[in-house]
Amino acid sequence: MILNGVFSAIIILILSTFPVSAAQKKPVYGSHGAVASADIIATRIGLDILKQGGNAVDAAVAVGFTLAVTYPQAGNIGGGGFMIVRTGNNEFYALDYREKAPAAAHRDMYLDENKNVIEASSTLGYLASGVPGTVAGLYEAHRRFGKLPWNKLLQPAIEIAENGFEINRYKENSLGYRYEKFLLFPATKAVFTKNGEKYHAGDLLVQKDLAETLKRIRDKGTDGFYSGKTAELIAEAMAENNGLITEEDLADYNAKWREPLEFEYRGYGIISMPPPSSGGLVLAEILNTLENTDIGRLGHNSSAMIHLWVEAERQAYADRAEYMGDADFVSVPVAELISKEYAKQNFYNIDPYFARKSENVHAGLKQIPEHVETTHFSIVDENGMAVSNTYTLNGSFGSCVVIPGTGILMNNEMDDFSIKPGYANMFGLIGNEANAIEAGKRMLSSMTPTMVTRNDSLFMIVGSPGGSTIITTVAQVLSNVIDHGMNIREAVEAPKFHHQWLPDYIRYERLGFPVDVLNNLRNMGHQLQKTDALGDTHAVLWDNKHKEWTAWSDPKKNGQALAY
Ligand code: DON
């Protein structure tokens, strides 16, 4: 009896100390390297590059250009993004290749004479695009860290664009979703419809003009995009269709190296993206706040756990709206926002039993300074060099404009600016002065390519699409591993929730939350909204027990991870 009692006590202790996941879902694994992306063709090409002796940056370049062909809703050369690179010497670099507002852009460019927002002007058509950064970004990453020749890395994408690839059911759906918009622009209609009809699974999607553009980039590097024929074609089409991007805008574009945003979470080093992304800052605010309690002990996705998360998110997104923008233009109080003291103050402002109303939660720093469909891939190679890359056209298929003669699908990233103070963008985010439109400025982003270290060794690579929900998705995947002991597959697949201050409700994944958890949250005063899916994570995690990399791609959007 006594022994039995002791035994039970030990079991209870073990269960509460090491949270046990219900199912042991296995990720892919391998001791050499791994690639996780949203598309099986791109993942295979990335892995091939690693096997041929390319490093993680080489693989990232090949994956980036391939996704521009095979995953056109977000993979791109007409958009922009962010990349975190880790070298084999454990040095971290953050590359900003975010789009910029064209020189002719101005604060009220999306407002009519009564200062009302002109519907869809920042999301559809030529005026919606910022100056693309992807080609400059991938080129710069390769210039600094690449090993294999540039032209070799573009070749697979060129061949797929030229010869076509087979559309699967997932791609049929995503093309179908934007079909009506494609018909508005002749060059888009020519590429993404079959003579005006919808594409179906089994059809071949061939992109001859895009292949020619990629060849110019292969042969001339950034000059193949930012000057010469490609730049002329972009500027000409823009001028004819009331767009703003000129040849000078393209010639002026530069990718920039930034100081990575670094902080610690429960002894793990977190390395993420600084402004012009809000990703690293909001991630730090949320995790720093949660660090004030033992989240693991609350039980994964219990109502008590979700409540604390949501209250931390509420504050962080209020700060995002007030303080965050392109730090080349406005002063962002980075050190204050990521300080542990500020997080502690925010933690103690949370009532453990009742939801606050967002209208009563304001940007919280005491001293306000004076002025103040995306896709991710994670790659690691044999020498521990790693890439965490998120890039985007913003909305699915961006502005829906293909520039005639180039096959380039353009972004609608201008919508990420605060086009009018307090006006919600396509992700329901509002903003203020810090993120107002200015010529040459980069629009605030939520993209959060992130890496995690433990004892100075690479531990995890993670990122996701999802607009404003990117940051909370990345935060939950990190916490699922660190606080709840999940493997990477379990962490990626676990149901997600999201709160962003305004609108004032929790979004939660339809199939993941028991009704009693939802009822508890309602009783605490939270508003809830069901959604199909949050995020689409592609991540790599070091398995220290087996001394190998494990990887997983969220199956939601047909992603695929491979390791060897
Ligand atoms: O930079 C940003 O925050 C947005 N342009 C990201 C867009 C996005 O994630 C859309 N995909 N689901």
Side-chain angles (χ1 to χ4, degrees):
M1 268 313 267
I2 292 175
L3 258 186
N4 234 347
V6 171
F7 184 69
S8 315
I10 290 172
I11 291 291
I12 288 166
L13 188 71
I14 289 173
L15 284 178
S16 58
T17 312
F18 303 101
V20 176
S21 321
Q24 274 293 323
K25 296 177 182 171
K26 294 269 185 288
V28 300
Y29 54 88
S31 55
H32 299 284
V35 180
S37 91
D39 182 65
I40 178 67
I41 305 173
T43 296
R44 282 209 187 109
I45 286 170
L47 204 78
D48 277 353
I49 295 288
L50 294 183
K51 287 181 176 169
Q52 288 166 31
N55 64 23
V57 168
D58 293 326
V61 170
V63 169
F65 281 112
T66 302
L67 288 169
V69 179
T70 61
Y71 196 80
Q73 59 269 52
N76 68 80
I77 56 174
F82 303 110
M83 182 187 287
I84 304 285
V85 178
R86 185 232 190 208
T87 64
N89 308 331
N90 205 37
E91 284 163 359
F92 291 87
Y93 299 83
L95 182 59
D96 165 5
Y97 60 96
R98 180 71 160 165
E99 299 91 327
K100 283 166 68 168
H106 57 91
R107 193 192 170 90
D108 292 344
M109 62 185 276
Y110 297 110
L111 307 185
D112 64 16
E113 59 281 5
N114 301 320
K115 301 275 179 217
N116 293 322
V117 171
I118 305 164
E119 206 189 322
S121 55
S122 64
T123 56
L124 184 68
Y126 283 81
L127 202 58
S129 296
V131 183
T134 297
V135 174
L138 296 179
Y139 190 81
E140 177 57 21
H142 180 264
R143 185 198 65 75
R144 189 157 183 186
F145 296 113
K147 207 165 114 192
L148 297 183
W150 171 254
N151 55 7
K152 186 178 167 69
L153 305 175
L154 272 96
Q155 203 52 38
I158 292 170
E159 282 165 23
I160 299 166
E162 199 146 47
N163 303 324
F165 67 92
E166 194 180 303
I167 289 176
N168 60 21
R169 184 59 58 83
Y170 168 70
K171 283 171 191 168
E172 172 187 317
N173 287 342
S174 52
L175 285 162
Y177 171 67
R178 301 294 269 173
Y179 169 73
E180 269 83 29
K181 302 285 185 296
F182 296 159
L183 299 179
L184 301 173
F185 307 99
T188 315
K189 181 177 161 190
V191 180
F192 293 116
T193 71
K194 219 169 34 178
N195 301 319
E197 299 300 317
K198 285 186 179 178
Y199 270 111
H200 293 294
D203 289 339
L204 209 60
L205 181 60
V206 176
Q207 300 171 79
K208 295 274 185 209
D209 285 342
L210 182 59
E212 293 309 310
T213 301
L214 289 170
K215 284 179 195 169
R216 289 193 289 277
I217 298 168
R218 174 194 64 193
D219 299 338
K220 299 183 179 149
T222 45
D223 286 349
F225 186 91
Y226 294 96
S227 60
K229 184 169 176 187
T230 313
E232 278 164 26
L233 287 168
I234 295 174
E236 214 176 273
M238 284 280 160
E240 279 169 16
N241 294 281
N242 297 323
L244 298 185
I245 300 173
T246 62
E247 285 189 60
E248 292 70 46
D249 286 322
L250 291 161
D252 280 352
Y253 187 86
N254 274 325
K256 285 190 168 182
W257 293 101
R258 309 269 182 197
E259 219 25 71
L261 190 116
E262 301 195 30
F263 63 99
E264 278 203 2
Y265 178 63
R266 299 191 208 276
Y268 290 79
I270 314 284
I271 300 97
S272 193
M273 202 62 213
S277 182
S278 63
L281 283 172
V282 173
L283 184 70
E285 279 201 62
I286 294 170
L287 292 177
N288 282 343
T289 305
L290 297 176
E291 206 179 31
N292 289 287
T293 188
D294 186 348
I295 281 290
R297 294 233 170 203
L298 295 179
H300 182 249
N301 280 358
S302 66
S303 48
M305 186 208 100
I306 295 172
H307 171 72
L308 281 184
W309 270 83
V310 164
E311 294 304 321
E313 291 170 1
R314 194 192 300 279
Q315 180 66 57
Y317 278 82
D319 290 342
R320 182 192 193 277
E322 183 63 26
Y323 303 124
M324 299 181 202
D326 181 351
D328 289 347
F329 284 73
V330 294
S331 136
V332 181
V334 172
E336 292 90 333
L337 289 170
I338 67 170
S339 79
K340 298 284 183 192
E341 298 78 67
Y342 180 53
K344 186 163 279 180
Q345 170 200 314
N346 287 336
F347 179 77
Y348 287 112
N349 283 337
I350 295 173
D351 182 317
Y353 304 108
F354 293 103
R356 293 173 292 180
K357 295 253 169 289
S358 285
E359 64 197 42
N360 300 326
V361 174
H362 305 288
L365 290 181
K366 289 208 178 73
Q367 286 182 339
I368 300 170
E370 239 197 8
H371 54 165
V372 273
E373 231 192 50
T374 303
T375 190
H376 178 84
F377 51 86
S378 296
I379 301 178
V380 65
D381 70 22
E382 226 86 83
N383 299 314
M385 178 181 254
V387 166
S388 183
N389 187 91
T390 314
Y391 74 155
T392 187
L393 293 164
N394 196 27
S396 184
F397 296 92
S399 64
C400 289
V401 168
V402 168
I403 301 289
T406 69
I408 301 171
L409 190 55
M410 295 295 286
N411 67 82
N412 59 353
E413 213 74 71
M414 292 295 283
D415 190 62
D416 271 352
F417 277 119
S418 170
I419 62 176
K420 180 182 171 177
Y423 182 85
N425 75 1
M426 72 165 85
F427 303 107
L429 291 167
I430 63 165
N432 230 317
E433 276 312 308
N435 190 32
I437 304 175
E438 277 183 70
K441 188 175 176 183
R442 285 153 147 97
M443 52 299 277
L444 183 62
S445 173
S446 301
M447 289 187 281
T448 315
T450 297
M451 295 197 200
V452 180
T453 58
R454 188 169 54 179
N455 303 329
D456 284 339
S457 293
L458 183 62
F459 180 63
M460 195 188 323
I461 314 169
V462 57
S464 171
S468 53
T469 71
I470 291 173
I471 313 168
T472 53
T473 297
V474 169
Q476 284 166 79
V477 175
L478 286 179
S479 172
N480 286 345
V481 170
I482 294 173
D483 297 317
H484 300 285
M486 295 187 195
N487 73 26
I488 197 61
R489 178 171 176 182
E490 293 162 338
V492 164
E493 290 186 355
K496 307 287 182 305
F497 58 89
H498 171 77
H499 195 291
Q500 61 179 48
W501 180 50
L502 292 172
D504 191 353
Y505 51 66
I506 303 173
R507 265 179 269 174
Y508 65 95
E509 284 187 330
R510 188 167 63 88
L511 297 176
F513 294 88
V515 78
D516 51 352
V517 168
L518 301 176
N519 281 340
N520 282 344
L521 289 165
R522 282 192 193 98
N523 290 339
M524 289 167 149
H526 292 286
Q527 309 282 327
L528 297 168
Q529 199 185 75
K530 202 161 39 184
T531 185
D532 277 344
L534 289 168
D536 183 49
T537 307
H538 303 280
V540 174
L541 178 71
W542 176 247
D543 176 348
N544 204 37
K545 186 166 161 211
H546 299 101
K547 304 286 181 233
E548 63 194 8
W549 295 108
T550 59
W552 199 246
S553 281
D554 204 325
K556 280 188 202 108
K557 295 195 179 174
N558 229 27
Q560 176 76 54
L562 292 172
Y564 78 114

